[in-house]
Amino acid sequence: MLCAMASHADVAIIGGGPAGSAAAILLARAGRRVVLCEKEAFPRFKIGESLLPHSLALFDRLGIRDEFEHHAFPKAGGEIATACGRRTQRFYFEGAMQLSHRSAYQVERAWFDKMLLDHAAAAGAEVRQPCAVSGVAFDKTGATLTTGSGEIRAAYVLDCSGRNAVVGTQFDLKRRYDHLQKFSVFAHYEGVQRDEGRDATLTRLVRGKHNWFWLIPLDERRTSVGVVMDIADFRAAKVTPEAALDEAFAAAPIMRTRMAAAKRITEVYAIGDYSYRNTRMHGPRWLLAGDAAGFIDPIFSTGVFLALHSAEQAAATLDFALRHPLLGRIRMASYARNLNRQMNRYLRFATAWYTDEFVDVFTAAKPLFRIPQAVNSVLGGNIHPNFSVWWRLQLFYLVLWVQKRHALVPRLEELKAEAAPAPSGVT
Ligand SMILES: Cc1cc2nc3c(=O)[nH]c(=O)nc-3n(C[C@H](O)[C@H](O)[C@H](O)COP(=O)(O)OP(=O)(O)OC[C@H]3O[C@@H](n4cnc5c(N)ncnc54)[C@H](O)[C@@H]3O)c2cc1C
């Protein structure tokens, strides 16, 4: 599909990732004229492979659930372990509180993103690809998008361009989180050591003192493995991303074991500077969804869920605005408030994750008051926690606060021991 001549749409969508495709499917099914511009040719490599149980409800509503039967790897839960391997906490969605689905999926994004975009085209959206949007001019009645091969006129623009954040960048709305200045290096491997049975499906997070790793099984053979570190540490190490990844494995005993027989089957990819939020999520003729609105941190795999969820809400908001132009702005403001609230919740978790006390408490041998089950519920994508989940979350943060000052559960001295210099100072 190539860029074509000028046309007029109800909604022009920038970006064909999960947010853009999901919004296109829903708007097209609502009878709206949708043009979606995606700058890259699919399939292409993308990181973001571990999905949450609550995304399954969205897949049902998008009518794409059957696709997962043959192409996705089921996921029963997760595991958080210390890099030394001495403390481990497993959690299964089966045991989480107030979760509508008891399992989730791991996906290869090359397949997942193409599948969603194909559904958008099948639903009636006009998909232009490869077609990069270089700018948007807004006026009272709509917007004009400039692309490499012509202009597109639309009543509204939905920016789903991910980290490129076309509209947010144009209006200088992007603000970084100073305390989450991270750098990720990752690749796909074969031969990574796995456990037996349903434990072979878990997303594993391995926490070092100054970094953490993910291990995400993509199918029976392939595993996505990556490390997240402070961007300052990576710069100070003065090594290539590939060397940083290998040295990080070597410095973490549990990773050494799991990766002992592993063979890399893709190139090594690296991303930094990805935690930010826009100061505004909407304007008279535009709305932001997915990473184009903001991205917090890869920990807890909330990115695709928030992208799909915000896309669904954005599609409903724009459909409403097209029907009721005078009330549209109020609905857009409410959309932005809700999205900010959900992002705040995950921001609080992500910020807590980078403290020692989070791992102290989460991996404690005897979990109190079913707190991990409540935390898992929210981390599974439950964005409307009931009272029994809500009070446990408040208790969780209180316990973290106390743990920082007085050890309620034994502190992870082994993590502290790991703070000793690692090869090249990477970890
Ligand atoms: C290291 C790391 C690990 C992660 N792991 C996970 C995980 O395990 N689970 C999870 O749920 N999330 C994860 N994420 C987050 C996840 O990848 C994103 O949140 C998700 O892809 C957001 O979807 P999106 O549709 O908003 O944006 P994207 O998926 O980024 O899609 C945006 C699309 O817009 C296109 N585009 C950009 N600019 C333009 C333009 N000018 N014109 C036209 N098209 C354009 C791009 O080509 C792209 O296809 C991770 C993120 C990072 C950084």
Side-chain angles (χ1 to χ4, degrees):
M1 288 163 278
L2 290 170
C3 288
M5 299 304 288
S7 63
H8 196 288
D10 292 322
V11 181
I13 299 178
I14 311 174
S21 294
I25 292 171
L26 295 167
L27 281 163
R29 284 197 194 139
R32 299 299 174 188
R33 285 168 301 162
V34 180
V35 177
L36 182 155
C37 300
E38 165 54 52
K39 76 177 167 65
E40 289 188 35
F42 284 8
R44 50 90 174 95
F45 183 94
K46 178 92 185 171
I47 199 62
E49 298 141 327
S50 182
L51 307 185
L52 302 184
H54 263 261
S55 291
L56 270 61
L58 289 163
F59 298 152
D60 286 336
R61 292 200 285 280
L62 289 168
I64 58 169
R65 184 69 174 280
D66 292 349
E67 300 275 4
F68 292 81
E69 286 301 314
H70 302 295
H71 292 98
F73 196 62
K75 158 181 160 187
E79 178 190 277
I80 294 179
T82 55
C84 58
R86 264 175 270 173
R87 277 216 205 168
T88 300
Q89 186 67 250
R90 284 190 186 148
F91 54 91
Y92 301 99
F93 297 128
E94 216 172 67
M97 300 175 74
Q98 208 204 340
L99 262 191
S100 57
H101 290 79
R102 300 289 161 185
S103 65
Y105 291 109
Q106 325 272 23
V107 293
E108 187 179 9
R109 287 288 299 272
W111 164 77
F112 179 71
D113 289 16
K114 182 170 187 319
M115 178 272 291
L116 271 170
L117 193 56
D118 288 347
H119 274 273
E126 183 184 334
V127 174
R128 300 186 180 186
Q129 186 188 28
C131 181
V133 175
S134 54
V136 191
F138 293 98
D139 55 55
K140 282 201 171 121
T141 58
T144 305
L145 290 80
T146 305
T147 75
S149 55
E151 293 185 337
I152 296 168
R153 182 78 193 154
Y156 289 95
V157 170
L158 178 59
D159 186 3
C160 297
S161 60
R163 296 166 62 225
N164 276 13
V166 172
V167 173
T169 304
Q170 187 172 313
F171 291 141
D172 192 21
L173 305 175
K174 267 176 108 175
R175 297 291 176 272
R176 294 192 173 92
Y177 292 116
D178 287 340
H179 67 295
L180 294 174
Q181 288 302 300
K182 305 290 176 189
F183 185 76
S184 290
V185 195
F186 44 87
H188 288 175
Y189 293 83
E190 283 182 359
V192 176
Q193 187 206 57
R194 291 195 188 164
D195 295 351
E196 295 295 316
R198 70 172 175 170
D199 288 345
T201 73
L202 303 181
T203 289
R204 297 198 137 79
L205 305 179
V206 176
R207 181 58 200 271
K209 176 69 180 168
H210 297 298
N211 62 8
W212 64 270
F213 304 83
W214 75 76
L215 297 102
I216 299 173
L218 296 173
D219 56 28
E220 299 297 338
R221 290 180 303 114
R222 293 174 306 156
T223 307
S224 169
V225 187
V227 65
V228 175
M229 62 188 85
D230 283 347
I231 201 158
D233 287 348
F234 173 70
R235 287 196 182 121
K238 295 193 184 346
V239 293
T240 62
E242 195 171 334
L245 186 60
D246 288 340
E247 289 176 13
F249 291 157
I254 198 169
M255 293 305 294
R256 275 204 301 275
T257 310
R258 293 227 177 253
M259 301 302 291
K263 181 169 163 281
R264 184 159 60 76
I265 53 168
T266 64
E267 62 184 275
V268 171
Y269 298 89
I271 305 184
D273 196 19
Y274 42 67
S275 299
Y276 59 86
R277 198 184 313 188
N278 286 287
T279 51
R280 281 170 60 206
M281 307 278 184
H282 70 102
R285 291 279 157 189
W286 55 269
L287 207 56
L288 311 180
D291 281 10
F295 178 69
I296 296 166
D297 193 83
I299 188 64
F300 307 132
S301 309
T302 52
V304 171
F305 171 73
L306 275 182
L308 294 170
H309 176 73
S310 60
E312 185 180 41
Q313 300 301 314
T317 301
L318 291 177
D319 186 43
F320 178 87
L322 284 158
R323 265 183 291 125
H324 309 286
L326 293 177
L327 296 174
R329 287 292 292 277
I330 298 172
R331 183 78 181 255
M332 286 160 114
S334 147
Y335 163 84
R337 258 195 316 278
N338 286 334
L339 183 54
N340 272 312
R341 201 173 298 137
Q342 281 140 26
M343 291 176 88
N344 287 343
R345 189 171 286 139
Y346 289 129
L347 175 63
R348 197 173 178 195
F349 271 117
T351 304
W353 162 257
Y354 288 100
T355 64
D356 286 353
E357 52 272 16
F358 185 99
V359 185
D360 286 348
V361 171
F362 211 82
T363 61
K366 285 190 184 160
L368 299 171
F369 301 115
R370 299 184 71 209
I371 288 178
Q373 284 92 331
V375 172
N376 291 338
S377 174
V378 178
L379 295 181
N382 175 10
I383 49 171
H384 299 297
N386 64 13
F387 182 70
S388 65
V389 172
W390 179 85
W391 75 258
R392 285 179 171 88
L393 289 183
Q394 307 315 310
L395 184 61
F396 178 60
Y397 286 115
L398 179 64
V399 170
L400 291 186
W401 187 85
V402 176
Q403 174 74 12
K404 188 179 169 73
R405 288 152 184 89
H406 313 281
L408 288 176
V409 295
R411 293 209 164 105
L412 282 164
E413 292 308 320
E414 57 265 44
L415 270 185
K416 298 209 164 44
E418 267 178 48
S424 298
V426 171
T427 55

